[in-house]
Amino acid sequence: MHIYGSLALRKCSSFNSIQQSLTERNKHQMFASITFQEAEQEIRLVIGVDEEVRKLEGNLRTIQAVLDDAEKRQLKEEAVKLWLKRLKDVSYEMDDVLDEWNTAMIKSEIEKQEKAESSPILKKVCSFIPSSSCCFRQFKKLGLRHGIAHKIKELSENLDELRKESDRFGFRIYLNRDTEAVARPKTTSLIDVSKICGRDKERNELVSNLLGKGSQEEKSPHVISLIGMGGMGKTTLAQLAYNDVDVQAHFETLIWVCVSNPFDQIRVAKAIIESIVDQPPDNTELQNLVNRICDLIRGKKFFLVLDDVWSEKPNDWEPLVLALKCGAQGSRILITTCKEGVAKMVNSAYTINLDVLSDEDSWLICSLVASVDKDDEQLGKLGRGLANKCKGLPLAAKILGSVMGGQRSRQKWKNILDSNLWELEDVQNGVLGPLLYSYNELSSAIKQCFLYCANFPKNYLFSRNELVYQWMAQGYSGSKYDMEDMGERHFEKLVMHSFFQDFEKDDNDDDKIIRCKMHDIVHDFALTMTTNECFTIDVDKVLGIELKSARHLTLELKKKTQFPVSIYNAKNLRTLFFRDSSIVFPLDLFQHLTCLRSLNLEYSAFEKNFQMKWKN
């Protein structure tokens, strides 16, 4: 039941006054069905809207505390995925309501200032003669406040239900972000060299650096870092170097440790000792363990591989590196990581950034794993087409090759080629898994920045400034006082997590990255994580999309195409991009899309259309 109009204007001080006001309204047949109890309930709701806003924000923060766990479990548990979608919907709705509320408060302040600046005579006249416009403004304020109060009440009920469901799921609140719901796979130094293709250049570069003669001036220990996104083949390259005949002969002691996540100093220290003496140490005190490492490698030239390092905390690294300094000059430590920040933290003397494989090398891997002759004329053309879908990612080629090997016929390969590669569960889970680990390392705000990149087409040349401004418009960059600086930090963090590639740098500004691209498979991953939120459509696809849930939309409408008015139903849209479109669209569009925060008309005919209508 809604209460409007003069009830608030009268500012009743007691419920007797409220009841009297209701009686007067009943005479005018405005609120004949409202009871005294209903009126009391509505008044309390409207008056308490400020407190409800604060409660809603607190309730959301409570639920967001379990978001890390939910996001890590969503790919394994369908129920969690559905719960997470509902939470995101409510979060968006809450954001919109708070925007509406804050906008109303700002407008109210502006009106107060304008009223204060009016002439004293006008103020006196208004104080004695209530104008219809003043009454209308008060009526409008009450209506807005009442509408927001009901929206907040409904959202609070939805949040409360989600909170109860989160309890049933047994979500954990992660105070330590390193904890993961999905265990990282462990690696070993063993490898079948006959099944490895490509990376000859990087392999030779790495081996040459490992065998280089150490000078007295070189840092000890000499650290080399292999950096690349998940699935790029860092571990494989480290295994190739570790098993190289010359490398094996060059060092007195070789050690392989899979560090993984979280970084456990004691476990890593024990693994180093066990790798040297072939038995686990009894001691569990870190001090005793590092002393033991120092004794075992003292004066020896060792080669240590620390595979899959994630921690950027100097405190995790410092005790170990102090012990490792006991080794002889010329010792080497090789670290593999997805994060450039790790390479900086360990003061790498040399870094190798892994790039994608060539299409030919991708096909060699696919054919090798599928046990198919790479020169097979019947399957070769289809096979190369499939291998090209891997976009040079070795892990993708390996997994696709296993799928191809299990479906070895021309027709089945053609079916795979014609389908969306990510519809294949084995491929999706295998390739996107390593990216999920990197994604889970990000804070909630940086996750939002990364996922926003799904709005842009594949192979898009991102402008650093464009991205930062878009994130600012969406509210992903913190408080209004440092939004641009925070956006810059978010960009750097995504770069350091290997989510961007193909950098263009400014030679005049300390090699600052100004433009970059995103690997197609990383883009596919972002799209997977934004299902039912981000859409790219043309006029033929509009009817097949649930526009109510759409938050970000890109329109690709060709010339002479009539503007699809179904877009009006996308009431919750926050981003609207027009790409490669010369279509003229109606100017009343933005009266329907009231939640828009970002609008890109770079490729549209909007400006021309607006100018023509303005002249008329």
Side-chain angles (χ1 to χ4, degrees), residues 318-564:
E318 189 174 355
L320 293 174
V321 75
L322 290 174
L324 294 170
K325 284 184 177 181
C326 295
Q329 200 73 18
S331 295
R332 295 287 188 267
I333 299 175
L334 176 62
I335 287 177
T336 72
T337 181
C338 292
K339 303 165 71 173
E340 188 177 322
V342 171
K344 291 182 177 180
M345 184 270 292
V346 299
N347 294 317
S348 299
Y350 195 79
T351 60
I352 299 176
N353 289 279
L354 294 189
D355 202 353
V356 296
L357 295 175
S358 66
D359 289 342
E360 184 62 26
D361 282 338
S362 294
W363 166 232
L364 286 175
I365 293 175
C366 285
S367 62
L368 198 63
V369 176
S371 299
V372 174
D373 186 350
K374 65 181 179 63
D375 298 320
D376 188 317
E377 293 184 5
Q378 183 183 10
L379 296 176
K381 187 175 181 180
L382 284 173
R384 281 183 166 80
L386 281 168
N388 292 348
K389 279 196 169 191
C390 299
K391 300 298 180 181
L393 198 66
L395 177 62
K398 182 178 178 181
I399 294 170
L400 183 59
S402 66
V403 174
M404 294 161 64
Q407 304 181 35
R408 198 178 308 171
S409 76
R410 184 178 178 81
Q411 185 57 48
K412 288 183 178 179
W413 281 22
K414 189 175 185 307
N415 291 341
I416 297 174
L417 184 62
D418 294 339
S419 71
N420 180 357
L421 186 63
W422 308 114
E423 291 175 359
L424 300 174
E425 186 174 348
D426 290 342
V427 176
Q428 183 186 47
N429 293 341
V431 175
L432 301 188
L435 296 178
L436 184 62
Y437 301 129
S438 293
Y439 174 80
N440 285 336
E441 281 284 300
L442 303 173
S443 67
S444 295
I446 302 177
K447 284 178 181 176
Q448 288 179 310
C449 293
F450 166 69
L451 296 179
Y452 191 78
C453 296
N455 293 306
F456 299 85
K458 286 185 177 181
N459 205 37
Y460 184 80
L461 184 62
F462 291 99
S463 161
R464 178 194 187 111
N465 290 339
E466 176 189 19
L467 268 182
V468 170
Y469 294 151
Q470 293 283 355
W471 294 339
M472 290 167 60
Q474 295 296 322
Y476 299 156
S477 301
S479 68
K480 60 184 178 181
Y481 301 108
D482 61 354
M483 291 174 68
E484 189 167 356
D485 287 342
M486 189 60 68
E488 293 281 347
R489 292 179 208 168
H490 292 348
F491 179 85
E492 290 292 342
K493 200 72 173 179
L494 289 173
V495 169
M496 295 179 75
H497 277 69
S498 303
F499 282 116
F500 292 125
Q501 61 183 33
D502 298 341
F503 303 117
E504 291 184 21
K505 298 184 178 181
D506 187 345
D507 296 334
N508 300 319
D509 190 6
D510 196 26
D511 281 340
K512 179 181 179 180
I513 297 170
I514 55 176
R515 277 178 287 273
C516 59
K517 290 186 178 182
M518 178 175 280
H519 191 282
D520 282 3
I521 290 177
V522 177
H523 188 273
D524 287 332
F525 173 71
L527 282 173
T528 300
M529 301 296 285
T530 55
T531 304
N532 299 323
E533 291 183 41
C534 296
F535 296 100
T536 299
I537 61 176
D538 57 39
V539 70
D540 297 325
K541 299 178 183 176
V542 171
L543 297 178
I545 287 179
E546 180 55 55
L547 290 173
K548 184 178 179 182
S549 65
R551 309 293 174 176
H552 310 286
L553 180 63
T554 298
L555 288 177
E556 295 181 348
L557 305 175
K558 305 305 178 184
K559 194 173 182 180
K560 297 182 180 179
T561 300
Q562 186 175 2
F563 186 84

Side-chain angles (χ1 to χ4, degrees), residues 94-331:
M94 174 191 164
D95 224 10
D96 293 337
V97 169
L98 292 177
D99 271 354
E100 186 179 356
W101 175 252
N102 291 330
T103 301
M105 294 300 99
I106 292 171
K107 290 174 69 175
S108 177
E109 286 299 317
I110 292 173
E111 288 177 1
K112 285 181 182 178
Q113 291 177 12
E114 290 176 346
K115 188 175 180 180
E117 293 170 359
S118 61
S119 67
I121 296 176
L122 183 60
K123 287 189 207 175
K124 290 180 180 179
V125 171
C126 287
S127 65
F128 286 103
I129 306 175
S131 67
S132 60
S133 63
C134 288
C135 292
F136 177 76
R137 283 197 299 270
Q138 294 296 330
F139 181 92
K140 189 176 180 181
K141 286 179 183 178
L142 174 65
L144 174 65
R145 203 173 175 90
H146 182 271
I148 290 177
H150 270 274
K151 289 178 182 178
I152 289 176
K153 181 183 178 184
E154 184 178 348
L155 284 172
S156 294
E157 291 172 353
N158 290 339
L159 277 174
D160 191 53
E161 181 61 30
L162 286 168
R163 183 188 58 77
K164 292 176 182 176
E165 290 183 16
S166 73
D167 293 340
R168 291 198 292 271
F169 283 124
F171 287 131
R172 289 173 288 178
I173 298 178
Y174 288 144
L175 300 178
N176 178 1
R177 292 192 54 82
D178 288 340
T179 306
E180 294 196 32
V182 181
R184 291 284 293 151
K186 302 300 180 183
T187 65
T188 70
S189 63
L190 301 177
I191 189 172
D192 186 349
V193 179
S194 66
K195 293 186 177 181
I196 304 301
C197 302
R199 297 289 184 218
D200 292 337
K201 177 184 175 183
E202 293 89 345
R203 177 182 179 178
N204 293 335
E205 179 184 357
L206 177 57
V207 169
S208 175
N209 201 284
L210 290 172
L211 299 178
K213 294 183 179 180
S215 65
Q216 292 298 320
E217 293 78 20
E218 115 178 332
K219 290 182 180 178
S220 181
H222 185 90
V223 182
I224 305 168
S225 291
L226 292 179
I227 309 172
M229 61 178 270
M232 195 61 81
K234 301 180 296 296
T235 298
T236 300
L237 183 55
Q239 290 168 330
L240 287 172
Y242 189 91
N243 289 278
D244 183 88
V245 175
D246 293 331
V247 170
Q248 293 267 335
H250 184 75
F251 295 99
E252 297 176 66
T253 302
L254 289 92
I255 311 161
W256 180 284
V257 176
C258 179
V259 178
S260 196
N261 202 21
F263 192 101
D264 185 334
Q265 291 174 319
I266 292 177
R267 187 187 68 79
V268 172
K270 291 174 73 172
I272 291 174
I273 295 171
E274 184 175 0
S275 181
I276 297 174
V277 300
D278 289 330
Q279 64 180 28
D282 296 328
N283 208 302
T284 58
E285 291 294 329
L286 182 60
Q287 180 63 56
N288 293 330
L289 292 172
V290 294
N291 287 341
R292 178 66 171 150
I293 291 173
C294 193
D295 291 338
L296 290 172
I297 65 171
R298 192 184 306 277
K300 295 181 179 178
K301 187 159 57 176
F302 68 86
F303 174 35
L304 168 63
V305 175
L306 295 175
D307 187 40
D308 197 28
V309 179
W310 292 79
S311 174
E312 301 173 70
K313 301 175 183 176
N315 290 342
D316 287 340
W317 172 250
E318 189 174 355
L320 293 174
V321 75
L322 290 174
L324 294 170
K325 284 184 177 181
C326 295
Q329 200 73 18
S331 295

Side-chain angles (χ1 to χ4, degrees), residues 53-116:
V53 167
R54 287 190 289 272
K55 285 183 180 179
L56 186 63
E57 290 174 329
N59 207 354
L60 184 64
R61 282 194 296 270
T62 300
I63 292 183
Q64 283 178 329
V66 303
L67 269 179
D68 281 347
D69 194 15
E71 287 192 321
K72 291 167 185 175
R73 289 169 52 182
Q74 66 169 318
L75 292 185
K76 283 191 168 185
E77 302 175 47
E78 187 64 27
V80 172
K81 185 176 183 179
L82 295 174
W83 180 89
L84 190 59
K85 179 184 181 301
R86 289 172 55 206
L87 177 60
K88 286 183 177 180
D89 288 340
V90 173
S91 299
Y92 277 127
E93 291 172 21
M94 174 191 164
D95 224 10
D96 293 337
V97 169
L98 292 177
D99 271 354
E100 186 179 356
W101 175 252
N102 291 330
T103 301
M105 294 300 99
I106 292 171
K107 290 174 69 175
S108 177
E109 286 299 317
I110 292 173
E111 288 177 1
K112 285 181 182 178
Q113 291 177 12
E114 290 176 346
K115 188 175 180 180

